Amino acid sequence: MRRMVVRRSPIHGRGVFALTNIPSGELLVEYKGEVTSWRVASQRYQRNSAEDGHTFFFGLDDRHVIDGARGGNSARWLNHCCEPNCEAEQEGRRVFIRALA
């Protein structure tokens, strides 16, 4: 059974929405994409205005980022929330999204 879906969001155009109640602590999705340097990611962003200002970068450290626009998945559509219902957990160069209470 699908637990999440990407659909239109009034905030940023697209967002990820839960289709069912998800228990606290449950792993939702891995943030996928190409691991690259911030320099390369910034150059790509400057050249590509097709995303209407969207960035799909998840910073790993001062030098590296996951570029969700390249080989990414639905996790790239997660939006910021002042009252979050999930959180990111980094393990090396991988990032996992886990449900909160």
Side-chain angles (χ1 to χ4, degrees), residues 28-101:
L28 300 174
V29 65
E30 180 178 356
Y31 194 98
K32 296 272 193 168
E34 179 186 328
V35 175
T36 189
S37 69
W38 275 108
R39 183 182 56 79
V40 169
S42 296
Q43 290 171 347
R44 287 178 183 165
Y45 177 73
Q46 290 172 8
R47 286 192 304 259
N48 184 6
S49 61
E51 294 294 340
D52 296 325
H54 285 291
T55 60
F56 300 110
F57 301 150
F58 199 110
L60 298 173
D61 55 39
D62 290 343
R63 298 184 60 196
H64 298 96
V65 59
I66 299 173
D67 184 351
R70 296 195 176 233
N73 58 1
S74 61
R76 71 179 180 227
W77 297 109
L78 289 166
N79 289 320
H80 167 79
C81 180
C82 293
E83 296 179 30
N85 56 9
C86 61
E87 65 182 352
E89 297 177 352
Q90 185 175 341
E91 295 180 18
R93 290 192 174 186
R94 297 177 73 185
V95 173
F96 301 93
I97 309 301
R98 192 169 299 277
L100 293 174

